[in-house]
């Protein structure tokens, strides 16, 4: 087991919605505040079948190549238990997406493999249902289960989702799990991501899962919400100032 989070840290996991090319990933890895906790979609679960579905095997090769050249930890979404064996060699932490929070067969299978799991909240999942899903991961140990608040569906339509920071506060007060916030899918617009990130820190979150891209307007998925590398660097500078106020140490 390789736990990637520790107690007083505030983690920023960043990277593209989907891995698109070797150059895209090297640009991200070489940005001014070099990230070492990298996310990147290999298999994408898109609402429309005609949308970009991820590079699959080609993205696995890109990550293998990059891991030979530089040190970083890698997290990617797993959408089917049959992907476990091919992903295990490159993955330090699995992500279970909002669409799969209720996929108990997937969760049961992941509980037998020695990788931490980031469990995103389902679109309309209550906190109770979300916690129910963690029971299927029980064998991993609570220190290897990270809950990710990524915004829920409400009557509100101005933003992509409604970021439920109340859930973060509730969970941090009542449960042992680490809780991270995905401000990108919650807000759906890069111009709100920094403020939502600072609010997550203030609410007691243990970290962020944030989408970045060297050229967001050319991104093949979620172009509106990805931070470009300048905005990413600005976010890190703000977090460097804010983390000490909340007695957290920033890890990127
Ligand atoms: C993602 O992280 O790219 C993603 C698809 O997120 P979610 O499962 O929260 O929609
Ligand atoms: Mn995305």
């Amino acid at each position: 087991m390789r736990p990637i989070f520790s107690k007083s840290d505030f983690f920023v996991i960043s990277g593209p919605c989907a891995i698109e090319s070797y150059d895209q990933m090297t640009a991200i890895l070489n940005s001014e505040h070099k990230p070492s906790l990298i996310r990147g979609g290999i298999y994408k679960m898109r609402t429309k079948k005609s949308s970009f579905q991820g590079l699959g095997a080609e993205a696995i090769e890109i990550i293998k190549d990059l891991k030979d050249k530089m040190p970083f930890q890698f997290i990617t979404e797993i959408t089917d238990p049959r992907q476990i064996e091919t992903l295990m060699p490159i993955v330090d932490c699995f992500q279970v997406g909002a669409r799969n929070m209720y996929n108990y067969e997937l969760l049961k299978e992941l509980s037998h493999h020695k990788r931490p799991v980031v469990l995103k909240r389902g679109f309309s999942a209550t906190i109770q249902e979300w916690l129910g899903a963690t029971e299927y991961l029980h064998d991993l140990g609570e220190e290897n289960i990270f809950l990710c608040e990524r915004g829920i569906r409400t009557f509100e339509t101005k933003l992509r989702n409604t970021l439920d920071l109340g859930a973060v506060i509730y969970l941090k007060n009542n449960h042992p799990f680490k809780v991270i916030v995905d401000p990108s899918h919650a807000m759906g617009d890069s111009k709100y991501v920094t403020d939502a990130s600072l609010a997550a820190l203030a609410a007691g979150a243990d970290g962020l899962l944030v989408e970045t891209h060297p050229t967001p307007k050319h991104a093949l998925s979620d172009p509106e919400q990805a931070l470009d590398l300048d905005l990413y660097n600005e976010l890190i500078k703000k977090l460097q100032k804010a983390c000490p106020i909340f007695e957290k140490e920033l890890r990127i």
Side-chain angles (χ1 to χ4, degrees):
M1 194 71 61
R2 296 184 269 182
I4 60 169
F5 295 87
S6 82
K7 216 160 182 219
S8 60
D9 289 330
F10 188 77
F11 286 86
V12 182
I13 303 168
S14 63
C17 181
I19 296 169
E20 295 166 3
S21 69
Y22 189 87
D23 288 352
Q24 171 215 35
M25 294 308 291
T26 42
I28 287 169
L29 281 157
N30 289 323
S31 51
E32 183 193 337
H33 292 284
K34 285 192 174 25
S36 69
L37 304 170
I38 300 293
R39 63 151 287 153
I42 290 176
Y43 302 104
K44 297 303 299 176
M45 290 201 83
R46 307 303 301 281
T47 306
K48 287 193 192 137
K49 190 166 179 292
S50 54
S51 303
F52 177 58
Q53 302 283 314
L55 289 183
E58 195 183 334
I60 294 178
E61 288 310 309
I62 291 173
I63 295 299
K64 264 191 199 148
D65 247 46
L66 287 166
K67 278 201 156 198
D68 283 344
K69 295 193 176 95
M70 52 189 113
F72 61 91
Q73 299 201 58
F74 181 63
I75 167 170
T76 196
E77 179 172 352
I78 178 156
T79 59
D80 185 315
R82 288 171 294 185
Q83 295 156 358
I84 292 181
E85 295 309 325
T86 40
L87 289 177
M88 279 295 279
I90 57 158
V91 160
D92 299 283
C93 180
F94 284 113
Q95 174 179 324
V96 173
R99 290 163 185 79
N100 267 321
M101 189 208 84
Y102 295 103
N103 186 342
Y104 302 133
E105 292 307 317
L106 174 62
L107 298 180
K108 276 194 246 172
E109 204 50 50
L110 287 174
S111 77
H112 303 136
H113 290 79
K114 297 198 178 311
R115 291 290 183 278
V117 169
V118 165
L119 180 62
K120 287 200 162 194
R121 184 180 188 176
F123 297 134
S124 303
T126 63
I127 294 173
Q128 206 49 51
E129 288 167 337
W130 196 10
L131 288 168
T134 67
E135 291 176 21
Y136 290 93
L137 294 169
H138 190 258
D139 288 353
L140 289 176
E142 61 198 26
E143 69 282 8
N144 288 303
I145 303 172
F146 310 111
L147 299 177
C148 180
E149 163 57 36
R150 45 79 75 208
I152 50 173
R153 255 184 204 156
T154 66
F155 51 82
E156 184 49 68
T157 56
K158 286 282 182 206
L159 298 165
R160 183 170 182 182
N161 288 293
T162 297
L163 177 57
D164 185 6
L165 289 178
V168 177
I169 294 168
Y170 173 84
L171 289 166
K172 288 308 298 174
N173 276 280
N174 294 289
H175 291 276
F177 306 111
K178 294 283 177 198
V179 181
I180 63 176
V181 167
D182 172 348
S184 308
H185 291 85
M187 306 305 282
D189 186 328
S190 59
K191 64 176 176 287
Y192 306 129
V193 165
T194 300
D195 286 347
S197 300
L198 294 169
L201 170 65
D206 299 290
L208 304 172
L209 179 69
V210 62
E211 287 187 344
T212 61
H213 195 286
T215 49
K217 66 172 187 281
H218 296 127
L220 298 179
S221 56
D222 288 343
E224 311 82 7
Q225 66 194 33
L227 296 180
D228 67 24
L229 300 182
D230 287 340
L231 280 175
Y232 162 76
N233 285 312
E234 270 173 42
L235 168 67
I236 298 304
K237 278 185 197 137
K238 287 192 177 163
L239 289 171
Q240 281 171 336
K241 284 191 193 151
C243 278
I245 299 169
F246 298 96
E247 296 172 357
K248 295 269 188 181
E249 216 167 293
L250 184 62
R251 270 197 60 193
I252 59 173

